[in-house]
Amino acid sequence: YQYQQLNTYKEQLELQHLRVKTIIVNVINILFALLVFYFFTVLKITTNKLVIVELLFGIQLLINLYLYAQSEDQYNNLKLSLYVNTLFEYVIAVTLIFIFQTPSVFTLLFLAYATTAIYQDSKVTLLSNISIFFAGLLLTINYPLVFKTTGTTTYQEMLIVIYLFLYIILLSISSYIIIKRKSFFYNNLAKIKESEVRNIRLMAEIGRIAGNEHFQGTEYYSSLQRFF
């Protein structure tokens, strides 16, 4: 039997975690923006490129602040921020790859994937998988000079694509297991809360019928404490 209020309780639980995860991801982005600013300054990269990257970080932060500040239907607003952040992470990563144009900067795609994995959301994982695969594929095929090293061949470029595909498959399996465990955890907590609410209401009704006593919810938990 599925209680009607389970989805409501699950949404409340997830909302609490969404707030925390949104804050964590934005703190990471702010720190990364400062790190990018430092490297651009040290390497003396042109100001207009720095402005473009920092502007992307700024727009992303403003969108997140706006959605986080919406008290009405905050759950769906924060859900929207997940997808916005995921897209921005890869846009910023690809922009930095074009600016630096070195093979080592390609790892920024994996950094973007790791950041979005904090959300532990199935739709975000799917969006992140699609983004990292097509971004890596297009960069490898259309801009091979970015990955050019001594002796680079078409065969080596194909290995990069294969490695990227296998990497995504393995991470998808890992993410799927984590997300399923999280969903199981939320379901159990929601069922426990629904059962307790029903028990409190039942005891209040019994008390009212038996002696017209007004039952307090705090009495339920104190009686459990005495029992154990």
Side-chain angles (χ1 to χ4, degrees):
Y1 177 73
Q2 188 80 4
Y3 295 136
Q4 294 181 353
Q5 295 298 319
L6 281 183
N7 289 333
T8 302
Y9 294 144
K10 285 171 61 178
E11 186 175 302
Q12 291 173 355
L13 288 169
E14 192 170 358
L15 178 58
Q16 296 175 12
H17 290 85
L18 277 176
R19 293 192 188 106
V20 176
K21 291 173 183 177
T22 301
I23 293 173
I24 292 174
V25 169
N26 279 280
V27 168
I28 292 174
N29 287 332
I30 291 172
L31 293 176
F32 189 62
L34 295 174
L35 186 63
V36 168
F37 179 83
Y38 170 77
F39 277 111
F40 270 62
T41 304
V42 171
L43 298 175
K44 298 180 179 179
I45 298 176
T46 54
T47 306
N48 60 333
K49 294 180 180 179
L50 173 61
V51 170
I52 292 173
V53 176
E54 296 298 334
L55 184 61
L56 288 173
F57 277 115
I59 294 173
Q60 182 184 17
L61 180 61
L62 289 175
I63 292 175
N64 276 270
L65 289 174
Y66 173 77
L67 293 174
Y68 192 91
Q70 301 300 310
S71 57
E72 184 177 352
D73 198 14
Q74 191 178 42
Y75 177 80
N76 287 322
N77 284 323
L78 289 181
K79 277 285 190 178
L80 178 60
S81 74
L82 307 189
Y83 311 132
V84 171
N85 277 337
T86 300
L87 293 175
F88 263 94
E89 297 294 341
Y90 287 100
V91 169
I92 292 172
V94 172
T95 302
L96 289 172
I97 290 172
F98 280 129
I99 292 174
F100 288 100
Q101 296 187 7
T102 58
S104 59
V105 187
F106 188 72
T107 55
L108 288 174
L109 290 178
F110 304 111
L111 179 61
Y113 192 98
T115 303
T116 57
I118 294 174
Y119 291 125
Q120 296 180 346
D121 183 88
S122 57
K123 292 181 181 179
V124 169
T125 300
L126 178 61
L127 180 59
S128 187
N129 288 340
I130 294 173
S131 299
I132 190 174
F133 180 75
F134 282 103
L137 183 65
L138 292 175
L139 285 170
T140 305
I141 295 175
N142 295 328
Y143 302 94
L145 293 179
V146 174
F147 309 99
K148 186 175 182 180
T149 57
T150 304
T152 296
T153 62
T154 304
Y155 173 73
Q156 290 174 325
E157 293 171 4
M158 183 177 67
L159 288 179
I160 294 175
V161 176
I162 294 174
Y163 166 76
L164 183 62
F165 179 76
L166 293 176
Y167 177 86
I168 293 172
I169 292 296
L170 293 175
L171 281 183
S172 298
I173 295 173
S174 176
S175 298
Y176 175 78
I177 294 172
I178 293 173
I179 291 169
K180 291 297 289 183
R181 291 182 64 183
K182 182 196 74 170
S183 179
F184 176 77
F185 174 71
Y186 283 162
N187 281 331
N188 281 344
L189 287 181
K191 288 179 181 178
I192 291 171
K193 184 172 182 179
E194 174 64 21
S195 297
E196 287 190 339
V197 170
R198 286 174 174 264
N199 286 337
I200 291 172
R201 289 175 179 172
L202 178 61
M203 293 176 71
E205 183 66 18
I206 292 174
R208 185 186 65 81
I209 295 174
N212 294 323
E213 297 179 359
H214 181 67
F215 180 80
Q216 297 290 338
T218 53
E219 296 177 11
Y220 171 77
Y221 295 102
S222 61
S223 61
L224 285 180
Q225 187 176 7
R226 289 195 302 270
F227 177 79
F228 290 106

